[in-house]
Amino acid sequence: MPMPGDSRRRRTSPVAPRAWQRMLSGRRLDLLNPSALDIEIEDIAHGLARVARWNGQTRGDHAFSVAQHSVLVEGLMQDAWPEAALTDRLGALLHDAPEYVIGDMISPFKNALGLDYRQFEGRLLAAIRMRFGLAAEMTPEARAHIKRADMASAFFEATRLAGFDIDEALKYFGSPPPGPSPDMTPLSPIAAQALFLTRFTDLMQAIDGKTKGD
């Protein structure tokens, strides 16, 4: 015999699993179908400054954040590729921007998840790039330079902060470029957020000035 309330429960539609995240800006970002209109640089900077590289297994009073890593990668790419376009330098700064919502998964875990994760990450990065006036896909040349700078940053992080010895780091990340080693002191989340936003603003202003000059 049906119990009271059974028919009501049968008529209730199940709630669809939530695939969006509410940002502090008030934006609601759909992770499965990200829109450039729902992306704000303040949300990116806030998130990246609070995501730890190396799952937090680093020396120092603070984690080495993805925000600080991103600024380092942009600087290393600029040093190695001084003729890079301003838009490519902005692309380097934003190369890990999807991690403001999906976190910094270590490479072994990304490899274990396979192609679907890479496609998911790629869709989000494309929306972020379009939000700030970049082509959805970076050029092969820019991708190669950003990858080299990313690996150089990983080498410095690994040997200075994450407990790798030199031979081990060389095996996985290759040789860093010649020149002085960058400052690897981990910043607080507030300082890392400010550093990232300042670099973003400088690049956007330079791009805007060049566009008006043209």
Side-chain angles (χ1 to χ4, degrees):
M1 174 181 296
M3 297 295 291
D6 282 356
S7 60
R8 185 178 61 184
R9 283 196 293 270
R10 285 196 298 270
R11 290 195 301 267
T12 301
S13 300
V15 177
R18 181 169 65 90
W20 54 265
Q21 180 172 342
R22 178 74 69 186
M23 302 298 167
L24 289 179
S25 65
R27 297 290 189 182
R28 193 174 86 167
L29 182 64
D30 184 341
L31 300 183
L32 298 180
N33 187 28
S35 168
L37 298 176
D38 292 324
I39 292 167
E40 300 292 348
I41 193 60
E42 291 80 9
D43 293 330
I44 292 174
H46 183 95
L48 294 186
R50 289 158 177 80
V51 175
R53 294 274 291 171
W54 308 93
N55 281 345
Q57 297 299 307
T58 50
R59 302 185 181 97
D61 293 335
H62 303 285
F64 192 80
S65 71
V66 176
Q68 191 172 353
H69 163 81
S70 298
V71 175
L72 177 57
V73 167
E74 190 269 327
L76 289 168
M77 192 194 78
Q78 182 182 354
D79 290 343
W81 190 27
E83 66 273 21
L86 289 166
T87 50
D88 289 329
R89 288 161 57 182
L90 179 60
L93 184 70
L94 296 172
H95 78 284
D96 276 340
E99 294 177 7
Y100 86 109
V101 287
I102 61 179
D104 180 29
M105 291 190 183
I106 58 175
S107 294
F109 193 42
K110 287 183 180 181
N111 294 335
L113 291 175
L115 183 60
D116 285 348
Y117 176 82
R118 300 286 183 180
Q119 291 175 339
F120 171 79
E121 187 178 37
R123 284 196 300 270
L124 186 51
L125 180 57
I128 291 168
R129 287 176 58 85
M130 293 169 65
R131 169 65 178 85
F132 301 113
L134 302 177
E137 297 287 338
M138 65 182 73
T139 66
E141 182 180 24
R143 183 180 293 105
H145 280 285
I146 292 171
K147 181 64 176 177
R148 282 194 286 270
D150 196 28
M151 295 293 277
S153 179
F155 176 90
F156 290 125
E157 294 168 35
T159 54
R160 301 277 295 280
L161 300 172
F164 283 59
D165 62 38
I166 297 294
D167 289 340
E168 190 176 28
L170 288 171
K171 176 182 176 181
Y172 290 106
F173 311 115
S175 299
S181 175
D183 183 4
M184 301 300 297
T185 305
L187 300 175
S188 71
I190 296 298
Q193 181 175 343
L195 177 69
F196 182 91
L197 279 174
T198 296
R199 191 67 196 124
F200 173 85
T201 300
D202 289 347
L203 285 169
M204 290 296 288
Q205 289 177 345
I207 291 169
D208 186 54
K210 186 176 186 305
T211 301
K212 289 179 179 178
D214 292 341

